[in-house]
Amino acid sequence: LHSVEEIEAITLDSWLGQRNIGAHYVVKIDVDGIEDQIIASGKHMLAGAAVVVVEAHLDNIARRCMELQGLAK
């Protein structure tokens, strides 16, 4: 038996803006295939994180690393 529940979705940057989070925080992303969308929605959050951990499929790891390196500039 399956049920469907509607939830509100917001970007990572919007979520961060709604909270008073200090300067040192860790972000872990484990979203089974929509890493591109999550990374794009949280550029400010990810750029300010002390540590970012992204769980991704092997075929996508190189592209994810390039995206994250671009945030460090």
Side-chain angles (χ1 to χ4, degrees):
L1 194 51
H2 299 306
S3 63
V4 175
E5 181 179 344
E6 288 190 28
I7 60 169
E8 179 184 358
I10 63 172
T11 66
L12 289 177
D13 287 340
S14 294
W15 183 89
L16 182 65
Q18 296 172 1
R19 286 154 180 80
N20 185 18
I21 301 212
H24 302 287
Y25 55 89
V26 174
V27 176
K28 180 178 186 285
I29 299 172
D30 181 359
V31 290
D32 294 328
I34 59 168
E35 293 85 0
D36 291 342
Q37 294 171 13
I38 300 301
I39 289 170
S41 82
K43 290 182 180 181
H44 295 289
M45 175 188 260
L46 298 175
V51 175
V52 177
V53 177
V54 179
E55 183 175 315
H57 298 279
L58 289 176
D59 59 340
N60 294 327
I61 288 178
R63 189 174 70 219
R64 305 290 184 263
C65 289
M66 296 289 286
E67 290 168 353
L68 291 173
Q69 285 178 343
L71 294 175
K73 294 180 179 178

